[in-house]
Each structure stands twice: as C-alpha cells, then as structure tokens.
Amino acid sequence: MELAKRRRAHAARLDLSTAQVAVLDGQAHAARALWNLLHEYATFRPGRLASLKDCDEAIRVARREIDWMGQLPAQAAQAMLKTYRQAWANFLNPDHPARRPTFKSRSRSRMAVDVPQAQHLNIVRLNRRWGLVNLPKAGRARFRWTKDLPGVTKGGPTGRITGARLVKDAYGWHLVFRTEALAEPAAAHPGPQVGIDRGITVALALSDGTNREHGHWLTPGEKEHLRRLEQKSARQRRTRTPGRPVSKRRAVDWQHQTTTELARTFSVIKVENLSIAAMVRSAEGTAEAPGKNVRQKAGLNRSISGEAWGRTVTLLEYKTADRGGQVVKVPAPGTSQTCHRCGHRDAASRAGTVFACTNPECGWVGHADTNAAININNADGTAVSGRGDLGNARSAKRQPPRAA
C-alpha cells in the first residue's frame, strides 16, 4: 500500500538565554520592517505590482545598505518575500477569503521569523524532556521535547522535518516545526454521523442531543491580574483589542481536546457553512446612514469572536481526515428556524434557547441548538475533508425531514 504524506506543525517551547532572546527579538522586528518595506516598494509606485525579481534585488540592496537589515538571516528574508507574494496571490484569488495585504503594526503583529531550511536545524535529543537545535545567528538552544519528530526520533514516525518557524507569544519564544510524516491512508471511520451547531450560550450542540461546553476561560486571580494590566494600559494610552478577556491557551486546549474526541467518535461531522467575517462586521454604519443597536451588535461580535468558530472547524477537518472521517459544510439559512420534525419554518418558533414549533399539527418543543444541529445533520452539503464523495457538487437542497 502506498504511503500518504501527512503534513503537520508541532510547537516546542524554547529555553533561551537573555542574549538569545535579544537576537531573536531583533530578527523579528527586522522581519516586520522588511514586510513593510516590501509593501511600500510593491504598491507605492505607478503601474503594476513589482515583480518577484525586482523585490528580490531590492532586498539584496537593502541588506547591503541598511545595517539593521543584517540581523535577519538571508534565508529568512527570502522566505518573507515568498510569504508576501503568496499573500497577494491569495488576495487576487476570487475563491480565497484572504484580505488585501497591508502594513504590519509593531504593537499588533505577531513576532515571527522563518527557518526554511530544515538541515540547518541540526536537531539532537538530549534526554526524555529536552532537545537541542541550531537557531540562525542565535546558536544552539534547548527546546522542550514533547512529541516524536519524523526522521529524528529513533523508532518514531517515518518522514522528515521540512522547515520551522520561530514564533513569540506571551509565554516566550517557541519553535514550530513543519513536519511531513509518511503514513498508511486512514481506513473508513466506523462511527456514526452527527450535525454540530456552533453557538454562544452552548459552545457546540450535537444532533444526538449532547452538548460540548467549556467553563470560564479565566480564573478569578487571572481576571484580577488582567484588570490591573488593563488599567496600566489605559494610563499609558496603549491600544488594545476590545472585548471580554479570554485566555487563548485555555481556549485552544479545550478546542483541541473536544475536536479530537469528536473526530474519534463520528465518521461524518456536518457544520454550517458560515461567513464569520460577515457576521462580526460592525454595525456602526456611516455618518449619513448611522447603524442601529451598535453597542449590542459589538457585544455579540465579541462573543462570536471569543468562541473561535472557524478554528473549531479547521481542527475538525484535519483530525477527521486522519481518522478516515469527513467534515461536510451545509447551507446555514433556516437551520435555527426550521422544525426538524415537520419541516415547518417560522422565526417565531425560536425564543432564546427554546424551540417551540408553531405548526399546530406538530408542536415539538426542545432545545433550540439541538434542533438546529439535527437540521444540519439532515442537510446535504459540500465535503471539505476526508474520504468519499458526499459533497461531490450535489445541490445544497435539504433532504426530507426525518422523524425525531
């Protein structure tokens, strides 16, 4: 049986000295500045965008003439150019949701540096918990060993490391390995099918009547710490993203655990095909036509963004594919207003978390999110991952309602 390539990313925490942190910080700032210079060079000129050759030559000239540009390794600079050109290609592709490339802000952009050549990493395992890796211009550094790396670990998965990316967050610098493992194609998943409704009151409501919910992202102590930081930020007049505080690490951890459990249990997972960017668009309007209920809509937008619906589906896509399952996106309109038992559609049937069918011949009453999840499970859609051809360009018409 021919082995399939499985590309994944694995993040490992780095244990750096103060000098190494300073080196990587300098590289990250240089990378951000290079992006801004590329954007200015490619767009602030008459005629068409600058070509790849022109941009490459401009980078070489800048590295010779600007001292601080030398902090960024040459291969990282070339990787930045490829990333920038790919951002334009994504934007110009009508089928891609990417927005137009713009300048990167020092305060809002993520600090990151690419390490495109895997052979320069020279990875060595020290013991069960730690490994050594080469970082360009920063020297040897220890990293936390939490997972077997293809082509490195003896007896581990067959494959290789194709590159890496240095990323800094609130917890420090991490090294994200890009791996390519060889594995046998997953057998068909034997589990049942399920529909999932993503919400705010209930995080994930399943068509089998169960829910997947999370608690508060922050503990009382973390809330108090965040409150003090926000007061300090306000005094210094620094901008911050508005919205309720969310511990991203806890949110991601809950999403990983929940999506893994769902991918192991179900063979086909159906979700709504939502345009989340349109859903969280501001309601402010214009001076000539001001919006209505702006503050209420802003609160709803923050709640939707805090649930990270898009990331949930992204995680489900690759996890179900690894296990022989499939994720299917179905049309969203009407799923929360239609009775799954009789097919009667009426916006008045839903009141908060309760759905009461207004059809006098039906009268079904139950949880609104569960009703929506059953409708999602009963609908045709387009497969976005996994096996089979469930979504092979079939029309998005609903199937006849099924009995509860």
Side-chain angles (χ1 to χ4, degrees):
M1 180 182 295
E2 184 178 355
L3 298 179
K5 293 181 180 179
R6 183 177 296 171
R7 294 181 176 88
R8 292 290 180 268
H10 170 59
R13 178 170 58 86
L14 289 169
D15 181 25
L16 304 175
S17 66
T18 303
Q20 288 176 319
V21 170
V23 170
L24 295 187
D25 285 351
Q27 291 183 15
H29 287 307
R32 176 188 52 80
L34 175 59
W35 173 283
N36 291 338
L37 290 174
L38 281 171
H39 188 60
E40 182 176 7
Y41 180 74
T43 56
F44 286 73
R45 52 186 290 170
R48 61 181 178 81
L49 290 173
S51 66
L52 182 64
K53 181 179 179 181
D54 292 339
C55 291
D56 181 63
E57 182 58 31
I59 289 177
R60 296 177 187 275
V61 173
R63 288 179 60 81
R64 290 196 299 267
E65 297 180 354
I66 305 176
D67 293 338
W68 54 262
M69 283 288 291
Q71 298 180 57
L72 186 65
Q75 292 180 343
Q78 293 300 316
M80 176 62 73
L81 173 57
K82 292 180 180 179
T83 302
Y84 178 76
R85 298 294 296 186
Q86 186 60 48
W88 273 108
N90 294 340
F91 169 70
L92 297 174
N93 182 358
D95 298 326
H96 201 284
R99 297 181 180 180
R100 188 181 190 274
T102 185
F103 292 105
K104 289 185 179 291
S105 165
R106 180 186 179 95
S107 60
R108 297 182 181 179
S109 60
R110 194 176 194 183
M111 297 180 68
V113 181
D114 232 333
V115 186
Q117 299 296 331
Q119 60 267 30
H120 295 164
L121 296 174
N122 194 17
I123 301 169
V124 176
R125 186 166 189 175
L126 295 177
N127 51 46
R128 183 172 62 88
R129 295 184 177 182
W130 294 98
L132 273 180
V133 64
N134 269 350
L135 301 180
K137 298 196 174 187
R140 298 288 276 175
R142 296 199 313 165
F143 69 92
R144 187 72 171 175
W145 195 290
T146 58
K147 187 177 181 179
D148 290 338
L149 297 173
V152 177
T153 307
K154 293 183 179 179
T158 304
R160 64 193 180 103
I161 295 175
T162 59
R165 185 173 178 83
L166 291 160
V167 179
K168 188 177 185 180
D169 61 14
Y171 298 92
W173 279 99
H174 294 72
L175 185 61
V176 183
F177 296 102
R178 291 190 288 266
T179 66
E180 184 180 88
L182 299 178
E184 295 183 359
H189 197 298
Q193 175 179 303
V194 72
I196 297 179
D197 179 66
R198 292 165 285 173
I200 298 173
T201 305
V202 176
L204 300 177
L206 277 59
S207 59
D208 61 5
T210 62
N211 299 327
R212 303 295 186 274
E213 301 183 60
H214 57 74
H216 295 292
W217 296 132
L218 296 179
T219 64
E222 289 171 333
K223 288 182 180 180
E224 175 62 20
H225 181 60
L226 182 62
R227 185 186 67 82
R228 293 177 182 273
L229 291 178
E230 288 179 341
Q231 286 181 337
K232 178 181 178 181
S233 177
R235 288 195 300 268
Q236 296 176 341
R237 295 187 178 182
R238 294 177 180 171
T239 59
R240 68 177 179 87
T241 304
R244 66 179 186 180
V246 174
S247 171
K248 292 185 177 180
R249 175 160 288 193
R250 291 192 178 188
V252 173
D253 182 64
W254 177 85
Q255 282 185 311
H256 269 292
Q257 293 187 33
T258 303
T259 52
T260 298
E261 181 258 327
L262 293 172
R264 287 173 177 169
T265 305
F266 301 101
S267 60
V268 177
I269 299 176
K270 293 187 177 182
V271 296
E272 290 176 302
N273 189 10
L274 299 176
S275 177
I276 300 174
M279 294 176 66
V280 298
R281 193 170 291 141
S282 173
E284 289 185 355
T286 62
E288 295 77 14
K292 298 180 180 180
N293 300 323
V294 176
R295 296 190 66 179
Q296 293 89 331
K297 181 61 166 61
L300 176 62
N301 292 348
R302 289 194 294 269
S303 298
I304 293 174
S305 299
E307 293 297 329
W309 291 345
R311 185 169 59 204
T312 297
V313 175
T314 299
L315 296 177
L316 282 173
E317 287 177 8
Y318 81 82
K319 291 182 180 183
T320 54
D322 286 351
R323 294 164 175 81
Q326 189 177 56
V327 171
V328 177
K329 290 186 177 180
V330 306
T335 54
S336 63
Q337 301 175 357
T338 304
C339 177
H340 75 274
R341 175 172 288 180
C342 68
H344 178 68
R345 179 173 176 176
D346 185 1
S349 297
R350 176 164 187 168
T353 60
V354 177
F355 187 93
C357 182
T358 56
N359 181 3
E361 298 180 0
C362 176
W364 183 86
V365 179
H367 200 289
D369 292 334
T370 301
N371 175 74
I374 296 174
N375 285 328
I376 293 169
N377 190 39
N378 292 345
D380 275 351
T382 302
V384 293
S385 73
R387 303 170 56 89
D389 58 352
L390 185 59
N392 56 354
R394 292 194 296 179
S395 64
K397 295 181 180 178
R398 295 187 179 277
Q399 298 174 350
R402 301 177 183 176

